[in-house]
Amino acid sequence: MPEPSPRLITQAAELAELCERLRQEPFVTVDTEFMRERTYWPELCVVQLAGRDEVAVVDAEAPGMDLAPLGDLLADPAVVKVFHAARQDVEIFLLKFGAVPTPLFDTQIAAMVAGFGDQASYDSLVRALAGASIDKAHRFSDWSARPLSKAQIEYAAGDVTHLRQVYLRLREKLMAEGRLDWVAQEMDALLQPSTYITEPSEAWERLKPKTTNRRFLGVLRAAAAWREAEAQRINIPRGRLVKDETLLEVAATAPTTADQLARARGISEGFARGKSGASLLAAIAEAKTLPEEELPQPLEARRGAGASPALVALLKVLLAASAEAHHVAPKLLADSEDLERLASEAEPEIRALQGWRREVFGEDALALKTGRLALGVAGRRVRLIRTD
């Protein structure tokens, strides 16, 4: 049966009718096209939707377009919303409608659980599970330009057309393997609004400063918080406001005047002497007066004593063996920070020691640390040897 041709939706009434029909479906596949190069907040341009028998490309910027029916569809508990690599799409809908789409199914995460490797691409899943290929020609289109071309519409529709088959095949495989509950646990994190919100007071941590100077960290925290809030306020990318390397230099020099601020590479005279420069200097000045106990702890100090490289290496071997045995992506079980903390802390609060991950990897990791488990080789595979 041939696939239905995608329909371009440019009228609010058409969208309302479409969403009403899709609310009768057990699931709907969803994707977005947006622009973010010049703004802090993503600008929604196009929404793609597909049910069993229709595919639609919604022009979110069409004059008079009311997206409220889409919000109702995304909130309908009777319809599963299927995305691939959902995080950015969900962030857009959270900003637009004030809620995360629910229930939600992310095929990229599901594919990791199903053994398709770390962060399986949509292209690879379409080839493997739908027997089709994706035209990438319009991946970097300007989706804010109007009118949308026929080729853009076809490209956008492809992101939800094949996703239906990918979802059904993945769900069937996961159900047969008894792993749908594993995926459900993964979806819980995506359903938390806090997943998508960057708190200004925590923005400094993404810079990963490698220092134990708490006074420097206090100034960096204040400067990074200022940048995040200011970028949000005027809606430009944080890196366009002040680059990361400039922010680190400003925190190191802790300027007190506009002249001193202007000496930092990447800070212009106009910025330093304007309102933004004045507010940044005020944030730095306040941070310099903080008492010692209110300064942030170095990131490394939070993780305790440094981990033994040899133990981390053993845990990596165990991780690879566990992932191989259970046909699941290693990165989904634990990341490098999880392994570092496993090696340096008795029983850290990490995802590798929670839920299904604990059963698959976490318990063995704890046993390896305490000598209750050893690693050997049998043929071409790593073998787990119980010693207790």
Side-chain angles (χ1 to χ4, degrees), residues 292-305:
E292 191 75 17
E293 62 271 17
E294 293 184 21
L295 296 173
Q297 291 288 343
L299 296 179
E300 291 300 322
R302 298 184 192 177
R303 299 173 188 142

Side-chain angles (χ1 to χ4, degrees), residues 41-62:
W41 307 108
E43 296 182 343
L44 179 61
C45 301
V46 172
V47 180
Q48 303 99 288
L49 301 166
R52 286 170 297 188
D53 302 315
E54 62 182 321
V55 180
V57 175
V58 180
D59 184 353
E61 295 187 337

Side-chain angles (χ1 to χ4, degrees), residues 46-121:
V46 172
V47 180
Q48 303 99 288
L49 301 166
R52 286 170 297 188
D53 302 315
E54 62 182 321
V55 180
V57 175
V58 180
D59 184 353
E61 295 187 337
M65 179 59 72
D66 179 6
L67 294 177
L70 174 62
D72 294 338
L73 169 64
L74 295 176
D76 192 329
V79 184
V80 177
K81 272 63 69 173
V82 180
F83 297 82
H84 181 81
R87 188 174 293 262
Q88 292 192 84
D89 303 312
V90 172
E91 178 190 4
I92 289 171
F93 292 133
L94 175 60
L95 292 169
K96 181 69 68 175
F97 303 117
V100 172
T102 185
L104 184 153
F105 189 98
D106 187 328
T107 57
Q108 185 177 71
I109 292 176
M112 293 168 75
V113 174
F116 285 88
D118 289 341
Q119 294 183 318
S121 70

